[in-house]
Amino acid sequence: MSTPVPVGLSTASVWPLRAGAAFELAADLGYDGVEVMVWADPVSQDVAAVKRWARRTGMPVLSVHSPSLLITQRVWSPDPVVRLRKSVDAALELGARTVVVHPPFRWQRRYGDAFGDLVDELEDSSGVDIAVENMFKVRPPGGSRDARVSAFRPSIDPTDVGFRHYTLDLSHAAAARMDALALADRMGGGLSHVHLADGTGIPKDEHLIPGHGGQPCAELLEKLVGDDFDGQVVLEVNTRHATGAAARARALAEALLFARLHLGQ
């Protein structure tokens, strides 16, 4: 019998609470570990603090999400190369097998030109999987309902370039109006990480609880089992509108139950 796929909780799933709350909820609800989203939360930027939370709750760090968002362009360093290197160092110190990273922004020309070689170099030297994530186009200010532009180079689809490891984000696929199952096929054996969430297809990153949108969340999880997937599934969902601690816990428990059910666990 194959080893069950670990199901983790992203610290982004408890925003605006800090990372420690994600470790506590993951432990209370029965998740297998945590993905640390490195962003404005000072705890997420402090590897020693993250280690203390992992020890306190018994929740391992499964993955580190490199500070790739627009709002995190100065976290750790204004240089994206330094940020990615520090993400790999953090993963090594925390015992995480995966670093999640977005493709370069269009204006990051030097970083974009060197990105593929940098990812290869860091994977070879560290043994950490650097899983490049699919993204989505956005509606420009004043644009028509169907107008979309990409902020990423060369594409929102990392398979257009080709990397050893990929993260498939279902909320991003929904916002991009991209067929998530076809994307998984293109990623093939390189698919090593899944951000499980849902979306309705509007041009924004919704990160709904799986089953609350139109994405093939159940079908993807069942496909992973059939394909003997040996990566990780992480719930990266939006609970910022939860009316309190109990409502947030119910939403994250529902998300975990959905994942376990369709992974045959």
Side-chain angles (χ1 to χ4, degrees):
M1 182 179 294
S2 59
T3 303
V5 175
V7 181
L9 179 66
S10 170
T11 58
S13 297
V14 304
W15 187 86
L17 303 181
R18 292 190 175 182
F23 279 89
E24 291 178 328
L25 276 165
D28 289 345
L29 297 174
Y31 281 82
D32 297 315
V34 169
E35 173 171 302
V36 176
M37 167 73 85
V38 182
W39 58 358
D41 172 10
V43 175
S44 73
Q45 302 172 27
D46 185 338
V47 173
V50 171
K51 287 176 78 171
R52 287 194 294 271
W53 276 110
R55 286 196 300 268
R56 186 180 306 170
T57 60
M59 283 286 97
V61 178
L62 302 178
S63 46
V64 173
H65 195 311
S66 182
S68 304
L69 303 172
L70 276 173
I71 62 171
T72 59
Q73 292 302 289
R74 302 194 72 81
V75 170
W76 282 346
S77 170
D79 185 341
V81 175
V82 174
R83 291 199 299 272
L84 184 53
R85 290 188 182 278
K86 287 181 71 70
S87 299
V88 172
D89 290 343
L92 287 170
E93 189 168 348
L94 294 166
R97 75 173 255 188
T98 303
V99 166
V100 177
V101 66
H102 294 177
F105 287 115
R106 290 170 61 183
W107 53 86
Q108 295 173 320
R109 294 186 179 181
R110 185 178 301 176
Y111 176 55
D113 290 343
F115 183 67
D117 290 338
L118 175 64
V119 168
D120 286 345
E121 174 214 318
L122 290 172
E123 287 196 318
D124 287 341
S125 63
S126 69
V128 172
D129 294 349
I130 300 178
V132 185
E133 189 169 11
N134 61 295
M135 301 305 295
F136 56 96
K137 295 180 180 180
V138 296
R139 184 189 301 171
S144 68
R145 180 181 178 85
D146 294 322
R148 301 286 189 278
V149 295
S150 172
F152 301 95
R153 60 176 300 188
S155 168
I156 61 172
D157 182 349
T159 68
D160 288 345
V161 176
F163 297 95
R164 296 182 201 172
H165 299 100
Y166 300 102
T167 296
L168 197 166
D169 186 303
L170 284 137
S171 177
H172 293 178
R177 299 179 180 175
M178 188 180 292
D179 183 330
L181 297 177
L183 177 59
D185 285 338
R186 292 197 298 278
M187 290 178 171
L191 175 56
S192 60
H193 202 72
V194 171
H195 279 165
L196 181 60
D198 216 330
T200 62
I202 63 174
K204 64 180 291 187
D205 197 7
E206 296 176 281
H207 283 285
L208 303 177
I209 301 298
H212 289 227
Q215 284 297 287
C217 298
E219 293 90 338
L220 177 68
L221 294 176
E222 291 160 8
K223 172 180 169 58
L224 296 179
V225 174
D227 292 346
D228 292 325
F229 176 72
D230 64 354
Q232 304 158 322
V233 170
V234 168
L235 273 299
E236 190 184 73
V237 296
N238 178 1
T239 64
R240 69 178 180 269
H241 299 304
T243 54
R248 176 176 283 108
R250 283 196 300 271
L252 296 178
E254 178 187 339
L256 176 61
L257 179 62
F258 184 101
R260 296 232 187 268
L261 175 66
H262 294 288
L263 287 169
Q265 300 176 6

